[in-house]
Amino acid sequence: MPRMNMISPEPAAQPGFTWPVRVYFEDTDAGGIVFYANYLKFFERARTEWLRACGIDQRRLADTQQIMFVVRSTAVDYRAPARLDDVLIIDSRIERLGPASVDFYQQASCNGKVLSTSTIRVACVQRATIRPVPLPDAVRQALLSGPRDAGLSTLAR
C-alpha cells in the first residue's frame, strides 16, 4: 500500500552516484575476505560523498538547523566476497524520498561483478531529541536534483 505524502522520483529522472572504495587489510577477516559488516561502512561513505556532491553539508545542517541524518533500517544481501586491494564500486540511487526519510538502494561491485546490495532508510531527525522532522526544502531539492557529478573515480583509474 503506498504511503501518503511521499514523493517517489522517477528512476530515469533520479541521477545515481558512483563512489570507489579500496579494500584495506583492516577491512578483511581472518579468511582474507571483507568482513560482512564493513559493507555498511562502504555504503555509508558513498552516501556521505553523494550528499557532498549534492551540496549538502551535514555538519552545517547539524550546527545551524539542528538536524541530522540517522540510519533507520538496513537490508543487505551478500552475493560474493571482496578481497584485500580490490577496488569496489559503490553505486547508489534514491528509491524513495519521503517527508522525513530517504530510502537508498546501493550496490557494491568489483570488475563488473555484483558483490553486495542493500536498501538503507535514512531518517532526518532533530539533533537534540532524535525525533523525526521533515526534510528541509533545500535538502529535498538538492536530493531531487542529484549530485553535481556522478562521483569520483580516482581509485578506479
Side-chain angles (χ1 to χ4, degrees):
M1 179 174 192
R3 293 182 180 199
M4 300 302 292
N5 299 323
M6 184 174 71
I7 298 171
S8 294
E10 293 295 322
Q14 185 55 245
F17 185 76
T18 300
W19 190 257
V21 176
R22 184 173 303 278
V23 175
Y24 296 110
F25 186 76
E26 67 186 16
D27 299 319
T28 62
D29 62 15
I33 62 174
V34 170
F35 182 65
Y36 74 96
N38 286 333
Y39 285 94
L40 292 172
K41 292 180 183 181
F42 302 154
F43 293 144
E44 175 75 25
R45 290 176 198 164
R47 286 192 315 276
T48 297
E49 295 301 334
W50 182 352
L51 291 173
R52 280 192 181 114
C54 289
I56 299 170
D57 183 331
Q58 293 186 81
R59 182 179 294 173
R60 189 174 55 188
L61 280 175
D63 291 343
T64 63
Q65 297 187 41
Q66 302 299 304
I67 61 169
M68 59 187 196
F69 298 109
V70 297
V71 172
R72 168 74 167 73
S73 63
T74 64
V76 183
D77 182 39
Y78 303 97
R79 300 180 183 187
R83 301 179 191 285
L84 180 65
D85 289 329
D86 282 351
V87 174
L88 307 183
I89 302 301
I90 310 298
D91 292 308
S92 307
R93 72 173 188 267
I94 293 175
E95 274 195 333
R96 184 191 71 83
L97 182 58
S101 65
V102 183
D103 290 356
F104 289 94
Y105 173 82
Q106 293 183 275
Q107 171 179 292
S109 60
C110 184
N111 298 320
K113 181 177 183 178
V114 175
L115 306 179
S116 179
T117 61
S118 70
T119 302
I120 299 175
R121 177 166 289 171
V122 177
C124 181
V125 298
Q126 206 278 331
R127 187 180 193 178
T129 64
I130 315 299
R131 302 290 302 160
V133 295
L135 289 164
D137 289 337
V139 170
R140 178 177 300 284
Q141 281 308 114
L143 290 171
L144 287 171
S145 297
R148 295 183 179 123
D149 60 50
L152 302 178
S153 58
T154 54
L155 288 178
R157 290 185 196 158

